[in-house]
Amino acid sequence: MAGQGKTALARKIYNDHHIMFYFGARAWCFVSQTYNVRHLLLEILKQIRGDKSDNLDNPGDVLRKHLMGRRYLVVLDDIWEPEAFDDLGRVFPSGENGSRIMVTTRNEELAMYIKHYSGPYSLPFLRDEVSWELLQKKVFQAESCPSELLNWICSDESFPVLGKLIIKSCSKLEEIPFSFVEIPTLKLIKVIDCSDSVEISALNIEKELKELDLKIQVRISKKD
């Protein structure tokens, strides 16, 4: 699954000052679904040696000789196929001196394929409240989200194709702004595990629209 933070976690490890001190040679390689082995090996070699070496006949041999006897860390980011791992992995000397190859992938089959080297770590999805807390810390540092940013301003210009409004576990929300009904494409308001006042405001919106011969369906539940 994309967007879970695999690359972010790998980058954090890669840039840790203890890691930088421990490994004498490091390289980061973005593989992707469509890859060129020669280009990737040249990129790794460039990072390891600190120079540009595009005209080498056999970059794999040069890289292997350059890493021999050194403690290295190579990250293969967003790798998809076992063949790609084999094509690149055969170049690197054995890791008997503590060298490591770190892999990020969204392909579970690939993770199982390389399991005999090291057990894969699967990132869990964050709960909604944890995601929100993390976002606030990242954006606002030690502060919480400013109250003025918690206010909703909506219109058919800002949400031209909004068809469904889902409000889930909003403890600080007192009512649904009536301006949402100005969005012509809105057909459903779903309220999940919110306060009574939010539920009442949703029902009031539905009632008022019926009087205007308009229709927005409202669904209310205490859990998803």
Side-chain angles (χ1 to χ4, degrees), residues 34-162:
T34 57
Y35 66 94
N36 181 294
V37 175
R38 174 179 171 81
H39 291 168
L40 294 176
L41 292 176
L42 287 172
E43 177 58 30
I44 294 172
L45 189 58
K46 177 182 176 181
Q47 295 180 48
I48 295 293
R49 299 206 313 181
D51 61 1
K52 193 171 183 178
S53 311
D54 292 340
N55 58 347
L56 296 175
D57 293 331
N58 197 328
D61 285 348
V62 177
L63 177 59
R64 183 177 181 85
K65 292 177 182 178
H66 201 76
L67 292 176
M68 194 71 68
R70 303 180 67 184
R71 184 184 293 138
Y72 62 84
L73 170 65
V74 174
V75 178
L76 303 179
D77 183 31
D78 195 30
I79 187 169
W80 282 74
E81 302 296 337
E83 293 79 7
F85 178 80
D86 291 338
D87 289 341
L88 296 168
R90 65 171 56 97
V91 172
F92 304 109
S94 63
E96 297 176 355
N97 62 348
S99 296
R100 293 292 184 268
I101 298 175
M102 182 162 55
V103 172
T104 72
T105 182
R106 65 188 78 179
N107 186 345
E108 188 174 352
E109 292 183 3
L110 173 60
M112 294 300 102
Y113 178 76
I114 62 178
K115 185 177 181 180
H116 64 280
Y117 293 101
S118 178
Y121 175 69
S122 298
L123 288 177
F125 286 101
L126 296 180
R127 302 190 309 275
D128 291 349
E129 57 270 24
V130 176
S131 299
W132 174 242
E133 181 180 352
L134 180 62
L135 177 63
Q136 289 188 91
K137 288 181 178 179
K138 189 70 175 178
V139 176
F140 305 107
Q141 303 303 319
E143 303 294 331
S144 60
C145 179
S147 58
E148 61 269 17
L149 294 183
L150 295 175
N151 296 327
W152 294 346
I153 301 176
C154 66
S155 67
D156 54 350
E157 288 82 13
S158 56
F159 293 101
V161 291
L162 179 66

